[in-house]
Each structure stands twice: as C-alpha cells, then as structure tokens.
Amino acid sequence: MTKKQLEMKHPYERFLRKERMPHIWCEGCGNGIILNCFARALDELDIDLNNVVVVSGIGCIGRISGYVNADSFHTTHGRPIAFATGAKLAKPELKVVVISGDGDLFAIGGNHFIHAARRNVDIKVICANNFVYGMTGGQYGPTTPLEAWTTTTPYGNIEQAFNLVHLAAASGAVYVARWTALHVRRLTESIKKALQKEGFSFVEVISQCPEIYGRHNKMKTAISMMKWFKEASEVRNFSDPAKADISPSRIIVGEFVDVEKPSYGRLLREMKAKLQTE
Amino acid sequence: MPVRIWRKPLDAEKIKVKKAEVHILKNQCKGCGFCIEFCPKQVLETSDELNIKGSHPPKIVDETKCALCGFCTAVCPDFAIFTIEKDCKEGC
C-alpha cells in the first residue's frame, strides 16, 4: 500500500466518531448500510451537524447514536420518540432524527409511535426492520413474518405481522416510505426528503440480519439475504400501503404517502403567540 | 453483448471518460462481500489476504473497468471502500 493510499480518508468520515469505529455490528449487517445512507443524505443536503440530533432506542441499531458525530441520545427501551418530541419542542430549529429498530419502535414503543404520528410532531423516524429481536438472541417480534423460524417459534411463527407503512400512514404521518437495505440510492433520496419535510416522516428499511434471522430461514449469508431483497422487491410508488405486504416471494417497496400538514410544533407556537397578543 | 459503435461520436475528442481510483481501507473491512457481489463491472474479487480482524478484504482486479457508479461506497456497511475520480491533470 502506498503512502498516498494510507492517507486517504473515507468521504463520510466526518459524520462518524472515529474513535468508536469500526462499529460493533456483524459482518453484512444492514445497520451499517443505514448509517452509510444517513451520512450520505446529510452530506448531499449539506446540513450542519450542530443542528442534527440523533435519538435511538434499544437494540442493535440503538448503537447508531454512538457512531454519528452529531448530538445524540441513546434512550431507554421504546422511548426514543418521546425523547425526540421533547428535544424538538424545546429547540424547534433542530433536525431530530429517530433511528431505531422494529422491536423498539413498534413493540414496546408502539403507542409513542402512533401518537407522535397522529399529532404530527416534526421528527423523522428511520426504522430498521430486521423481523426479529436480534440483540437478545432472536425472539419473534411484532414484525416477524408468518412461518418464520425464530428461537421462540421453533415450529414456525403463527402470528400475523405488523405492516409498518400501513400503520404509519393510518396514524397520520406526512411522509411514508419503505426500502430495503439494497436500495441504497432510493433510501438516501427518501431520507433526504424526510429531512426536508415538515411533520412526522417515516422511512422503513427492510434490513438483513444474517446471523440471527437469515441463517435460520434458508438464507445462510448476508449476500443471500440481499439477493432475496433484489429478487422479491417490487417498487410501487404511491400504491395503497394496506396492500404493501412482505412475504418470502414479494416485498412491496416505494414511497407511499407524501402530503402536507401543519406540524404540532408550529400549531403550538402559533397558539402561544396568539394567546400572548390577546 | 456490448453495443458496437460503428460511427465515432462527434464530441468524442471533447469528452473524456473519467478514470477511477478505488480505495479499500483494508482494516475496516469485515468481509461481507457486498462490494464484490454487487459491482456492475466486476472490478473486485475475494482475496486470500487477511486483515487485522481476520477477514478477507476484497482485491482490485481491474481498476480501469470502474465506472465510478459509487455503489460499493454506498452499500458498504463498514465504510471500508470508496471510489474517487483520478486526477488526470498530469496525465494518467
């Protein structure tokens, strides 16, 4: 390796806390791709890192708050949206991004999610959906598909899974999109759109967990999971999110909702100004 | 089958095809192989070399084939690979 090559720095290095890299995630984990796409979105939008707050919950992807070189907060299980709401209302000029997993946001934190979406709090939620509780050993969760093998469903899962985009759209989010970890370009565009939008934006990322989920479900490596995303995903922009199902043969991806609505913070400030003038 | 161009484009002399430099930060790599698998031009391949973590970072087969699409940079979960345009001011 030449001296020049040793001196070369990764273009997104300034978005990462270098002393904490390399990160803890397994080889081929989708969380690293989400971090990469998030860094790229910040880079392309040229957002000042001092105005970004990353809040994460518990789970493998919860570690992301330690890796992003912005102000960040690793919160208690299921509560990142509650913390993010507080941060956003206290300092409205901040861009508050919640990056967390499906178990954190939709199992224990499900109520926070639907009510933040209903109120249209101006936060951005990026959810890594890996179908399973990866960090605690692979128990089944609210997004585990039917018949999937997990450590707590050794005969196959018999529970129906949440359709996260449908849930977000029905709760009142202004921007809803779903991509897989393979759709890096479209995912970056969606994160960029979400960051620029006022109101509750939700981006679901179907992420691979080769170690805990894929290995037990006929996909031995991270590459085979990515190949599954490639073969099964079907882009259907602005289709009905209720029909956006995930099955072994088909993953409907795309942008589902993009509407304008006044955010909770704006209505609150307007109300406050109105009452103060009276 | 590549498309055969039988007429030379009029602006062929004006337009220069960008040349790429592929940089691999070997010790950051965990060897997932996404960059090798999803490179549209097959620029990379697996190597027998071991890095400090004991995984096999990719090796460059033919840098001149790289079309600077940047997919490897975007899909790498470990921030271990990136491509930049070659500085051709002094000829390359």
Side-chain angles (χ1 to χ4, degrees):
Chain A
M1 199 184 273
T2 61
K3 202 183 164 195
K4 195 185 159 199
Q5 272 177 317
L6 282 172
E7 283 166 5
M8 288 307 291
K9 280 184 179 169
H10 196 280
Y12 304 141
E13 204 180 79
R14 68 191 176 96
F15 298 104
L16 306 172
R17 292 186 198 173
K18 220 189 149 197
E19 69 278 8
R20 282 176 173 252
M21 301 304 280
H23 53 62
I24 200 170
W25 297 317
C26 307
E27 93 175 48
C29 175
N31 294 348
I33 301 176
I34 298 169
L35 177 58
N36 197 333
C37 291
F38 182 61
R40 180 182 281 251
L42 291 177
D43 184 55
E44 286 178 9
L45 287 177
D46 207 13
I47 294 176
D48 184 7
L49 272 178
N50 292 324
N51 290 333
V52 178
V53 178
V54 176
V55 188
S56 69
I58 302 300
C60 289
I61 198 158
R63 308 284 301 213
I64 206 166
S65 54
Y67 299 132
V68 180
N69 196 13
D71 288 339
S72 57
F73 203 5
H74 194 170
T75 68
T76 44
H77 196 15
R79 313 289 175 245
I81 289 178
F83 283 84
T85 307
K88 182 69 192 178
L89 294 182
K91 260 197 152 182
E93 67 272 19
L94 295 176
K95 287 214 179 294
V96 184
V97 187
V98 173
I99 307 179
S100 203
D102 54 309
D104 185 74
L105 285 172
F106 292 94
I108 186 167
N111 257 309
H112 290 294
F113 181 88
I114 56 174
H115 289 287
R118 174 183 60 81
R119 285 166 166 173
N120 199 17
V121 185
D122 191 6
I123 54 175
K124 295 46 188 106
V125 180
I126 301 169
C127 172
N129 181 2
N130 62 355
F131 311 121
V132 82
Y133 284 101
M135 192 186 233
T136 50
Q139 292 83 0
Y140 78 100
T143 50
T144 310
L146 271 179
E147 296 171 11
W149 193 98
T150 67
T151 47
T152 44
T153 56
Y155 306 107
N157 182 28
I158 50 166
E159 289 185 17
Q160 299 287 340
F162 258 142
N163 180 349
L164 303 185
V165 285
H166 184 37
L167 182 67
S171 306
V174 293
Y175 181 76
V176 178
R178 175 198 275 158
W179 298 109
T180 73
L182 185 69
H183 295 90
V184 279
R185 300 248 183 249
R186 284 152 162 167
L187 174 59
T188 311
E189 288 304 313
S190 270
I191 296 175
K192 273 163 76 179
K193 253 190 194 175
L195 282 169
Q196 287 168 311
K197 218 165 159 62
E198 185 196 328
F200 191 90
S201 315
F202 175 67
V203 181
E204 180 190 356
V205 190
I206 309 287
S207 165
Q208 71 276 27
C209 180
E211 205 57 41
I212 307 288
Y213 183 80
R215 209 154 53 89
H216 304 300
N217 290 285
K218 294 168 191 164
M219 288 169 282
K220 278 192 176 168
T221 58
I223 291 181
S224 55
M225 288 204 82
M226 289 288 250
K227 279 185 181 160
W228 170 47
F229 294 160
K230 193 177 174 183
E231 282 153 20
S233 59
E234 203 177 303
V235 182
R236 282 205 193 159
N237 284 325
F238 300 105
S239 64
D240 185 3
K243 290 174 189 156
D245 51 344
I246 299 173
S247 67
S249 58
R250 200 167 68 156
I251 305 170
I252 306 281
V253 294
E255 292 177 348
F256 296 98
V257 179
D258 192 355
V259 292
E260 301 292 332
K261 252 192 250 180
S263 72
Y264 176 73
R266 184 142 67 98
L267 292 176
L268 182 75
R269 284 191 298 282
E270 278 173 12
M271 176 69 81
K272 203 173 157 190
K274 194 179 136 195
L275 293 175
Q276 275 170 347
T277 50
E278 271 172 14
Chain B
M1 260 281 283
V3 179
R4 199 168 67 94
I5 300 173
W6 55 89
R7 277 198 298 184
K8 204 179 163 191
L10 293 171
D11 54 357
E13 274 149 33
K14 276 188 229 158
I15 290 172
K16 278 184 183 164
V17 179
K18 290 173 187 172
K19 288 189 176 168
E21 270 180 46
V22 183
H23 292 275
I24 301 165
L25 306 171
K26 285 184 181 166
N27 285 334
Q28 294 233 38
C29 178
K30 286 180 188 157
C32 65
F34 291 164
C35 51
I36 302 164
E37 180 68 34
F38 296 111
C39 176
K41 297 278 181 184
Q42 284 84 41
V43 174
L44 303 157
E45 68 172 20
T46 42
S47 67
D48 296 330
E49 190 189 349
L50 285 172
N51 66 7
I52 50 165
K53 276 186 290 207
S55 58
H56 300 283
K59 96 178 164 204
I60 300 164
V61 185
D62 186 2
E63 206 173 43
T64 54
K65 274 200 227 162
C66 176
L68 275 167
C69 73
F71 195 79
C72 54
T73 319
V75 88
C76 178
D78 297 291
F79 298 86
I81 187 167
F82 60 98
T83 52
I84 51 170
E85 198 186 322
K86 213 177 220 175
D87 185 18
C88 283
K89 276 176 196 163
E90 290 150 21
C92 51

